[in-house]
């Protein structure tokens, strides 16, 4: 894409899910409030943050930090419905408003800055008008492109023209909003957007794929779309006419899904994906309603349907925000609904393959697993995430399907063949090997060498180990083995000969807190029957922790 991104003014309402709950459901946002989705906090009030509540916390942990916490379930329809009066207030001053998401909307900065006396004056005027009309606090950011303007809005900044790359360079990679990519970049030693932007674009595409290339453009301060957005052919617009006016939200939701699938199929047939969606509605009395929704990625059929449903919900519910002075409900039911793909990009990955749609199996699996969660709860479907830790049980964390796959323990996992540092925490200060990724975060000291065990027992099994003379094998405080291990008995089973062993690998954890201190030594043993086990000695007791394949 040639040329620099257009100057963009973005209005952002902090903690919007919390504020929407107050507007729609009457939950006081001045108290400790947390909005939860999939049992995790997605937004919280300022009072809740003061009590230690943070995004990403589980419900139980958040309530443990703040016992008086008011919990509200996440409802994107409620957020969109409550945000409609804010968008309408902005439209009273500027034209061409695009909804980025509930709580944020953007507009080209050139027009407002010219007739409102400059960019800073336009920002102040819009903030003041929204506060007076809707009783909603907001912040405005202006920068080159929507992505940079969104980050500038969180800081309440007006970035000078041409200064967007410098503004973005010092921000952490987490600002991209892609947790998995940010985690991988940090493990590779890339910690800021400037570091990421400095990488060759071709190498980024080859290593991280299409979404990584899109994120790379964002980090460099270029237009948020990976390719030039063009005006789509006129035949891509889909329209639905209704003899009976639509005045109920549930009926509108049904119509929205059918129309969204029709639009998505038409775009896919041309190898296109929608990044900006125009929604138009005409009422029985001839009233015309229009709104544009923007999305940084690719709008799937489900995403299109959600946005249409949210918008229709906002129109038909007639939410007037906090003031109640300006009813927004149409004067009659909707008789015509039109979806306009205002911005599209060519996406080869959406073209039909030889034996069906690309990614169809993944989407079907995601819907099935999400359905199971809806029936049995979010904890019923989990996936494993590899993280830091010294023992195999510490390195694997099970997270509910759909949650962020973030390791519970900091620090990258060493790769096979990476040098291992054994010994106590207190001795690991200067002896840690450097991280293979080139970063400053070292691997865990005291970690076992590869290969990793195939089965990690949920509860270690009690065992006894004897030497060749039948005496119990003991480990001294200086990690001296009394005699080579010769026989192993697990529980009340039969003795098995030990034909090979390695160790001990000591771990001395939290020695500075006597109540939490833990000291143990681990051994790898091979048995005569072909099995291989991971044993641990703790407080004089032998335990079987894991089984090797």
């Amino acid at each position: 894409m040639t040329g620099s991104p257009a100057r963009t003014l973005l209005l952002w309402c902090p903690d919007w899910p919390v504020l929407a709950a107050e507007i729609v459901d009457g939950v006081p946002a001045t108290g400790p409030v947390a909005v939860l989705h999939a049992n995790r906090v997605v937004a919280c009030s300022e009072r809740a943050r003061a009590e230690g509540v943070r995004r990403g916390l589980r419900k139980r942990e958040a309530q443990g930090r703040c016992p008086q916490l008011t919990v509200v379930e996440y409802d994107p329809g409620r957020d969109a419905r409550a945000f409609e009066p804010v968008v309408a207030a902005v439209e009273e001053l500027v034209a061409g408003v695009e909804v980025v998401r509930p709580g944020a909307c953007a507009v080209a900065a050139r027009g407002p800055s010219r007739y409102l006396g400059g960019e800073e004056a336009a920002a102040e005027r819009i903030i003041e008008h929204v506060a007076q009309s809707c009783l909603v606090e907001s912040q405005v950011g202006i920068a080159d492109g929507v992505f940079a303007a969104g980050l500038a809005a969180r800081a309440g900044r007006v970035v000078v023209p041409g200064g967007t790359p410098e503004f973005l360079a010092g921000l952490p990679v987490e600002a991209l909003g892609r947790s998995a990519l940010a985690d991988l970049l940090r493990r590779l030693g890339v910690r800021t957007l400037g570091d990421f932007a400095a990488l060759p674009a071709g190498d980024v595409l080859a290593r991280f794929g299409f979404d990584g290339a899109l994120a790379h453009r964002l980090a460099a301060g270029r237009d948020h779309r990976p390719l030039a957005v063009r005006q789509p052919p006129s035949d891509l617009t889909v329209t639905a006419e209704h003899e009976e006016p639509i005045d109920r939200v549930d009926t509108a939701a049904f119509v929205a899904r059918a129309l969204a699938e029709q639009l998505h199929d038409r775009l896919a047939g041309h190898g296109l994906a929608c990044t900006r969606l125009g929604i138009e509605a005409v009422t029985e009395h001839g009233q015309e309603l229009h709104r544009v929704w923007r999305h940084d990625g690719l709008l799937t059929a489900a995403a299109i349907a959600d946005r249409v449903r949210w918008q229709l919900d906002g129109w038909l519910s007639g939410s007037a925000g906090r003031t109640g002075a300006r009813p927004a409900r149409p004067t009659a039911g909707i008789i015509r609904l039109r979806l306009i793909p205002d911005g599209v990009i060519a996406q080869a990955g959406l073209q039909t393959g030889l034996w069906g749609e690309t990614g169809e199996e993944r989407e079907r699996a995601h819907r099935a697993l999400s359905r199971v969660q809806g029936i049995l709860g979010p904890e019923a479907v989990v996936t494993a995430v590899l993280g830091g830790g010294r023992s195999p049980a510490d390195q694997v964390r099970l997270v509910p399907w759909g949650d962020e796959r973030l390791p519970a323990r900091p620090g990258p996992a060493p790769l096979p063949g990476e040098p291992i540092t054994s010994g106590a925490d207190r001795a690991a200060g200067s002896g840690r090997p450097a991280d293979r990724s080139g970063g400053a975060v070292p691997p865990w000291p005291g970690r076992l060498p590869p290969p990793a065990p195939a089965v990690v027992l949920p509860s270690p099994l009690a065992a006894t180990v004897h030497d060749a003379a039948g005496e119990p094998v003991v480990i001294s405080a200086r990690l001296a083995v009394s005699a080579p291990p010769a026989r192993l008995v697990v529980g009340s089973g039969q003795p098995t000969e030990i034909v090979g062993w390695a160790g001990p690998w000591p771990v001395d954890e939290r020695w500075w807190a006597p109540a939490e201190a833990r000291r143990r030594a681990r051994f790898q043993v091979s048995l005569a029957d072909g099995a291989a086990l991971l044993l641990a000695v703790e407080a004089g007791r032998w335990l079987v922790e894991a089984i090797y394949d």
Side-chain angles (χ1 to χ4, degrees), residues 368-381:
L369 295 176
S370 299
R371 177 60 177 165
V372 172
Q373 282 185 312
I375 298 174
L376 302 180
E379 306 290 341
V381 183

Side-chain angles (χ1 to χ4, degrees), residues 229-238 263 266-273 338-346:
V229 175
R230 60 182 176 86
Q231 289 297 325
S234 59
D235 62 347
L236 293 182
T237 300
V238 295
L263 174 61
R266 184 170 295 184
L267 290 172
H270 289 79
L272 301 175
R338 177 180 298 173
L339 302 185
I340 306 171
D342 224 14
V344 296
I345 60 173

Side-chain angles (χ1 to χ4, degrees), residues 207-488:
R207 175 63 179 84
F208 301 105
F210 179 81
D211 189 65
L214 170 60
H216 184 255
R217 295 180 64 88
L218 292 172
R222 296 193 292 270
D223 190 84
H224 71 287
R225 301 178 182 90
L227 299 175
V229 175
R230 60 182 176 86
Q231 289 297 325
S234 59
D235 62 347
L236 293 182
T237 300
V238 295
T239 305
E241 303 277 353
H242 302 277
E243 296 181 0
E244 294 292 332
I246 301 174
D247 55 5
R248 293 176 51 185
V249 174
D250 55 350
T251 305
F254 178 79
V255 173
R257 179 163 298 278
L259 204 59
E261 292 178 355
Q262 181 182 348
L263 174 61
H264 186 266
D265 292 343
R266 184 170 295 184
L267 290 172
H270 289 79
L272 301 175
C274 181
T275 60
R276 193 170 58 185
L277 176 69
I279 305 173
E280 292 184 353
V282 178
T283 68
E284 189 178 17
H285 292 172
Q287 183 182 3
E288 296 183 0
L289 306 172
H290 179 75
R291 182 71 67 234
V292 177
W293 283 79
R294 179 191 292 267
H295 191 258
D296 283 337
L298 306 178
L299 288 170
T300 62
I304 293 173
D306 285 341
R307 281 153 179 80
V308 177
R309 176 170 53 83
W310 298 341
Q311 189 58 62
L312 292 177
D313 193 1
W315 282 333
L316 296 176
S317 298
S319 174
R322 287 181 166 184
T323 62
R326 186 181 60 258
R329 184 179 176 86
T331 57
I334 295 173
I335 60 173
R336 183 185 303 122
L337 182 63
R338 177 180 298 173
L339 302 185
I340 306 171
D342 224 14
V344 296
I345 60 173
Q347 167 65 332
L350 293 180
Q351 293 184 359
T352 304
L354 293 177
W355 293 279
E357 283 293 325
T358 301
E360 182 179 352
E361 294 82 2
R362 179 188 298 179
E363 181 67 22
R364 186 163 58 246
H366 176 73
R367 290 197 301 267
L369 295 176
S370 299
R371 177 60 177 165
V372 172
Q373 282 185 312
I375 298 174
L376 302 180
E379 306 290 341
V381 183
V382 295
T383 56
V385 178
L386 187 64
R390 297 178 178 86
S391 67
D394 295 336
Q395 297 166 21
V396 178
R397 169 172 169 255
L398 297 178
V399 300
W401 177 262
D403 284 10
E404 290 185 332
R405 295 172 53 82
L406 297 177
R409 295 169 177 264
L415 302 176
E418 193 166 24
I420 304 297
T421 300
S422 300
D425 287 349
R426 72 187 80 183
S430 60
R432 295 178 179 179
D435 180 18
R436 174 169 290 190
S437 65
V441 181
W444 281 82
R447 198 180 183 94
L448 287 173
V455 178
V456 178
L457 301 178
S459 299
L461 301 177
T464 55
V465 177
H466 297 87
D467 58 17
E471 296 296 327
V473 177
V474 296
I475 312 299
S476 69
R478 294 183 176 272
L479 302 176
V481 183
S482 62
R487 285 186 297 276
L488 170 69

